[in-house]
Amino acid sequence: MLNTLVVIPTYNEIDNLEPIVARVLAANAHTDVLIVDDSSPDGTGELADALAERHPEVHVLHRTVKDGLGGAYLAGFAWGLARGYWALVEMDADGSHRPEDLPRMVDQLVEHDLVLGSRWVPGGRVVNWPRRRELLSRGGNAYARTVLAIDVRDATGGYRVFRADALRRLDLADVASQGYCFQVDLVWRALQRGLRVVEVPIVFVEREHGESKMSGAIVGESLIRVTVWGLRRAMQNAVRVVRGRGALPSVRAVSHRVLPR
């Protein structure tokens, strides 16, 4: 059986963890959950261990180093790849990503390598977001599309499904980005390697418990790194043209499509 692993990073998510795990297990067959806890002081790690004792599908990875969302996902991916899972999922612990949408997303792996749960394609939307958060997300995605010359509408979204063999092609060992930037980084790598990327409309629901991990530092990192990646690509392209080797292949639409609502 082709099993799926849902990787859920946690830091102080004690009020959200048990409900989201229950929903994942109820809505998805042949699916395991890996909770990656970064030494939460509120007892989230202990709750994760208790859930693992009750459910054989639930596993826990405790980390003593706290290097952000990107580091937690990379550790979870490495754990899952080493154990032979066919598909690996990024999912937030706070309930903003609906587990009930996951079967539809996983089904797209028959024809695609990376499936993005998208808020900003027709049929996608957000619930209970303040206007400033929506403007920040839409603006960040517009900037990434412009600078990187891609068509992905929601490159910063954190609900996504990878084929395991696609993840192995992304050179994860040198990924250093975090937060929103981590999500853009992996999409950018996928498109440059010609992987098949599809956006599936989702409804994103703002968390009810706990605090968002968004910060000014995360936004700043995204702006800087995306700008550097875009400039580097432009310079590489210019050098190829000057040397008569032809322009780099476009990543704008070759490997990307949007699923109808």
Side-chain angles (χ1 to χ4, degrees):
M1 184 58 64
L2 299 176
N3 279 12
T4 298
L5 179 69
V6 177
V7 180
I8 302 179
T10 56
Y11 185 76
N12 289 349
E13 296 287 359
I14 195 167
D15 293 326
N16 296 311
L17 182 59
E18 188 166 3
I20 196 66
V21 168
R23 289 172 63 190
V24 170
L25 297 181
N28 299 273
H30 312 299
T31 298
D32 289 355
V33 174
L34 175 65
I35 302 163
V36 183
D37 187 67
D38 282 0
S39 302
S40 298
D42 71 344
T44 299
E46 290 78 4
L47 174 58
D49 289 333
L51 293 173
E53 289 181 3
R54 298 204 303 265
H55 303 284
E57 306 93 339
V58 177
H59 312 274
V60 185
L61 179 60
H62 293 282
R63 301 200 317 147
T64 56
V65 59
K66 190 172 189 307
D67 55 0
L69 182 70
Y73 272 128
L74 292 175
F77 291 161
W79 191 96
L81 291 173
R83 287 159 178 79
Y85 286 93
W86 173 67
L88 292 96
V89 180
E90 292 184 21
M91 182 183 291
D92 287 351
D94 60 16
S96 57
H97 299 149
R98 301 188 304 181
E100 297 78 15
D101 292 332
L102 186 55
R104 183 168 180 250
M105 294 171 66
V106 172
D107 284 347
Q108 290 299 313
L109 291 184
V110 174
E111 299 179 352
H112 303 91
D113 302 299
L114 170 55
V115 183
L116 306 176
S118 182
R119 300 160 292 186
W120 309 129
V121 296
R125 60 190 178 93
V126 297
V127 176
N128 296 331
W129 252 19
R131 183 62 174 169
R132 59 180 179 80
R133 282 288 303 276
E134 180 174 344
L135 291 174
L136 178 63
S137 179
R138 287 185 180 274
N141 277 290
Y143 184 76
R145 283 197 303 275
T146 301
V147 174
L148 301 178
I150 61 177
D151 273 349
V152 174
R153 306 300 300 180
D154 196 356
T156 65
Y159 195 11
R160 48 185 60 181
V161 187
F162 297 86
R163 291 177 62 104
D165 55 359
L167 266 179
R168 293 188 178 97
R169 295 172 58 186
L170 297 186
D171 299 329
L172 298 178
D174 66 355
V175 174
S177 49
Q178 299 295 324
Y180 276 180
C181 195
F182 173 78
Q183 309 298 2
V184 180
D185 192 345
L186 266 58
V187 171
W188 178 231
R189 289 168 185 255
L191 291 171
Q192 289 184 96
R193 286 156 180 78
L195 300 186
R196 300 163 298 173
V197 179
V198 63
E199 292 187 85
V200 175
I202 62 165
V203 177
F204 180 98
V205 183
E206 176 67 340
R207 67 163 63 230
E208 295 182 1
H209 304 287
E211 297 181 356
S212 171
K213 309 302 190 296
M214 176 56 60
S215 68
I218 290 175
V219 175
E221 180 204 20
S222 298
L223 288 173
I224 292 170
R225 289 187 181 270
V226 168
T227 301
V228 169
W229 296 334
L231 290 173
R232 182 182 300 151
R233 175 86 174 183
M235 291 178 64
Q236 291 172 345
N237 191 60
V239 169
R240 285 178 59 96
V241 171
V242 168
R243 294 179 176 176
R245 297 169 57 190
L248 289 167
S250 171
V251 297
R252 180 168 292 281
V254 173
S255 302
H256 167 256
R257 64 185 289 254
V258 174
L259 196 69
R261 70 176 75 187

